[in-house]
Amino acid sequence: MGTAGVLMGLAPVNAWPLAWVALAPLWWGVQHVSQTFLGAQSPAQQSSQPPVKRQLLALLPLPLCWSLGYHGTALSWILHLHPLTWMGIPWLGSIAISLFAWAAITIWGMVLVSLWALGLATAQRYLPDAPSRILVGTALWCGLEALWNLSPLDWTTLAYTQSPGNLVILHLGQIAGPLTVSALLVAVNGVLAETVRTGSWRSGGAIALTLCLTGHLIGFTLYQQPLNDPPEQAIPVGIIQGNIPTRQKLSAEGVRRSRDVYLQGYRDLAQVGVEAVLTPEGAVPVLFDTAQKETDLFYRLVSDQPITAPVLWLGQFLLEPVDRDHITQSLISIVPQQGIVGQYDKIKLVPLGEYIPLQSVFGKLISRLSPIGTDMIPGGTQQQFETGLGPAAGGICFDSAFSWLFRRQVAHGGEFILTASNIDPYPRRTMIQLHGHEVMRAIETSRWAARATNTGLSSIIDAHGQTVWLSTANQTVIHADTLYRRQHHTPYVRWGNWLTPLLVGLSLCRLWLNRIQPEPRSFPQG
């Protein structure tokens, strides 16, 4: 079971076909156990069932092993936090922080999968036919993923196993968001599990293949729609990838080097005629005080430029103007001759990296393991990011894993996507995964996206998710390219995740009908 989870964990790194079969062993295992312990129909059979404790002991190892393989493998890059000795943290303390961060988010994923397995097993006694089991299992998974994506911590939605490699299937995200892709993945795996359980190889295999091909055909049809971006909607933009590792950037020499790289990059890009320049998250690690903005080097440089000079989208730490004991991780728009016209504050802060969870309860204990203070606060979910060149959907690093943040901004007028990240000290595997999230957000909202990172991978992505340009990792890069403003709204932007409530509603109806008149059915034998 753990091996199947590991295979799913490998899928996000351009091994996306694995995801179409890697959940089937878990689904089959849950059904087998539930049939053994929970599937009795008569009162006599029910009374002879083993105690609940024994049932749970038989069932829980399956989702725990599978999800440890999946989430543990997919999130193994978190261990690259170590070493943190450059921050004055002892070697053992650095290992403890890395292991704690990896274990916490892995366990969070294990909870999701375990709840799904328990829910499916519990509903099994009311689901005598294969179509019902597949419908309820799919709805349950999508419902749990939807709840997880509203939580402070999420990354490993099943849909992202297809990104950035399978652009065709990712276009289903335009219909009802990433859970459209997750639903199809779960359903296909469910059919395969039922095929193995019942032995109906020919008919079950045909159904699984038909589901998969139909999803890809719909995605291909959406993928083939021309973008037809007119030249007047073009925005020549520049991206600066400073390539200054965090362990160097936070020193006095690192701050000086950061200023030099981004100031010179802005000047160089201005020479080639771009209309805006995008920098990474926390490009220069010093506080920007809007009350004394005239003292900031970048603000003075851009504000004093001719009106034809580029807008600067600067990643900065901002001192809260009202509560000056707190800061935000922000992306600000500085326009020549106007000053600051827009600001986006990071909403999804990284636990331990940018804030301490349960500070009031465990603050003193956790703060000993945390490399940061407790003064960073998240931005509001109702933000509108004015860029000086039109409204945009903004995002900073971890925000990119939460599709609803971008969907809401695009629904309220965002014409393109701007994201800034600092992925150091994580490896290229992390960079690819975060790039995969960016690809999904561009497709779902049908928006061009520009992304600047500190060490890579910076990118330009078109509204079909095609990577127009991708930087080289761990190099200083200054690049000029083109974005396009778009006003088209996909069904997902218009109506959100309507598919999950529909699946849940159909499942409840099916459960109710099956309780009234259970009628066992499986796939036709063949």
Side-chain angles (χ1 to χ4, degrees):
M1 198 61 66
T3 302
V6 170
L7 291 177
M8 185 69 83
L10 296 174
V13 187
N14 289 324
W16 57 265
L18 294 174
W20 295 92
V21 297
L23 183 62
L26 174 60
W27 192 308
W28 176 88
V30 170
Q31 287 190 335
H32 178 73
V33 172
S34 63
Q35 185 180 29
T36 303
F37 288 132
L38 304 172
Q41 296 297 317
S42 69
Q45 289 175 312
Q46 291 178 11
S47 63
S48 65
Q49 285 189 53
V52 173
K53 183 178 180 180
R54 184 178 166 190
Q55 297 172 21
L56 291 176
L57 287 175
L59 178 66
L60 279 178
L62 301 179
L64 291 177
C65 288
W66 187 91
S67 53
L68 177 61
Y70 174 42
H71 298 287
T73 300
L75 297 166
S76 59
W77 50 264
I78 293 176
L79 297 174
H80 285 260
L81 272 172
H82 176 74
L84 292 169
T85 50
W86 57 276
M87 296 188 71
I89 296 173
W91 193 81
L92 288 177
S94 174
I95 292 178
I97 292 173
S98 302
L99 286 174
F100 180 82
W102 173 79
I105 192 168
T106 299
I107 290 171
W108 187 235
M110 292 168 72
V111 171
L112 181 151
V113 180
S114 298
L115 288 175
W116 176 78
L118 289 170
L120 184 60
T122 303
Q124 176 78 8
R125 67 182 67 192
Y126 308 117
L127 303 172
D129 57 286
S132 293
R133 289 190 289 269
I134 293 166
L135 172 63
V136 172
T138 302
L140 184 58
W141 188 287
C142 290
L144 288 169
E145 271 203 3
L147 291 175
W148 251 242
N149 202 245
L150 294 175
S151 74
L153 200 60
D154 193 19
W155 185 269
T156 44
T157 171
L158 283 189
Y160 103 125
T161 62
Q162 302 301 290
S163 187
N166 191 355
L167 295 183
V168 169
I169 206 66
L170 290 178
H171 275 71
L172 296 184
Q174 293 186 348
I175 298 172
L179 286 178
T180 318
V181 180
S182 293
L184 184 62
L185 283 166
V186 176
V188 169
N189 276 274
V191 173
L192 291 175
E194 288 286 345
T195 300
V196 174
R197 192 180 71 84
T198 60
S200 51
W201 302 103
R202 184 178 299 174
S203 57
I207 293 172
L209 184 61
T210 300
L211 267 178
C212 184
L213 291 179
T214 300
H216 280 79
L217 180 61
I218 296 171
F220 181 75
T221 302
L222 295 171
Y223 190 18
Q224 291 301 108
Q225 299 300 309
L227 296 179
N228 293 330
D229 294 311
E232 59 269 20
Q233 297 296 328
I235 307 174
V237 298
I239 293 175
I240 307 173
Q241 179 176 295
N243 193 39
I244 305 167
T246 303
R247 63 194 65 191
Q248 298 176 18
K249 191 168 66 172
L250 296 180
S251 66
E253 172 60 24
V255 171
R256 183 198 63 76
R257 184 180 162 200
S258 297
R259 282 179 170 149
D260 290 347
V261 167
Y262 291 107
L263 285 170
Q264 188 58 49
Y266 176 84
R267 295 187 182 103
D268 291 345
L269 287 165
Q271 291 296 316
V272 301
V274 300
E275 294 182 13
V277 175
L278 178 64
T279 69
E281 172 186 23
V284 181
V286 295
L287 277 180
F288 186 102
D289 187 350
T290 53
Q292 301 176 14
K293 55 183 178 292
E294 290 79 7
T295 63
D296 184 83
L297 236 129
F298 288 89
Y299 181 86
R300 292 205 315 267
L301 170 70
V302 179
S303 297
D304 292 343
Q305 294 291 323
I307 198 166
T308 54
V311 174
L312 178 61
W313 297 320
L314 179 64
Q316 271 286 19
F317 300 96
L318 261 63
L319 189 64
E320 260 287 295
V322 179
D323 185 355
R324 298 178 68 81
D325 291 331
H326 295 87
I327 62 174
T328 57
Q329 184 81 266
S330 303
L331 190 61
I332 58 176
S333 300
I334 308 176
V335 177
Q337 303 295 313
Q338 295 184 48
I340 298 174
V341 300
Q343 174 181 330
Y344 174 83
D345 300 329
K346 186 175 184 178
I347 296 172
K348 294 296 183 178
L349 302 181
V350 179
L352 292 184
E354 294 172 323
Y355 79 102
I356 296 179
L358 303 175
Q359 168 67 13
S360 60
V361 180
F362 302 113
K364 290 184 179 179
L365 173 64
I366 297 178
S367 62
R368 294 176 185 173
L369 295 178
S370 176
I372 55 102
T374 63
D375 57 353
M376 188 172 288
I377 59 174
T381 58
Q382 301 301 314
Q383 297 178 77
Q384 293 293 294
F385 186 31
E386 178 52 55
T387 68
L389 294 171
I396 298 179
C397 203
F398 192 33
D399 287 340
S400 296
F402 299 85
S403 60
W404 59 272
L405 295 179
F406 295 83
R407 179 241 159 204
R408 190 203 62 78
Q409 293 183 77
V410 170
H412 287 83
E415 298 177 331
F416 50 96
I417 295 174
L418 296 176
T419 57
S421 301
N422 178 25
I423 311 175
D424 182 72
Y426 300 117
R428 182 178 174 85
R429 179 189 177 107
T430 321
M431 299 175 186
I432 295 174
Q433 288 187 11
L434 190 53
H435 175 65
H437 282 297
E438 302 283 348
V439 168
M440 293 168 67
R441 305 297 84 88
I443 293 172
E444 293 154 7
T445 59
S446 189
R447 291 295 183 269
W448 283 70
R451 176 165 171 258
T453 69
N454 179 20
T455 53
L457 301 164
S458 304
S459 60
I460 297 288
I461 304 166
D462 75 12
H464 274 318
Q466 298 179 77
T467 303
V468 176
W469 170 77
L470 191 67
S471 73
T472 303
N474 303 311
Q475 288 190 14
T476 301
V477 177
I478 298 175
H479 177 76
D481 217 300
T482 304
L483 283 181
Y484 288 87
R485 303 178 187 89
R486 306 196 87 227
Q487 290 79 36
H488 168 70
H489 282 181
T490 63
Y492 174 57
V493 170
R494 291 179 183 275
W495 303 306
N497 174 25
W498 56 267
L499 179 62
T500 298
L502 176 63
L503 290 174
V504 171
L506 291 173
S507 297
L508 293 174
C509 291
R510 193 64 177 165
L511 283 166
W512 182 72
L513 290 173
N514 282 350
R515 287 196 66 179
I516 294 176
Q517 189 177 8
E519 187 178 333
R521 292 190 304 277
S522 62
F523 297 124
Q525 297 295 318

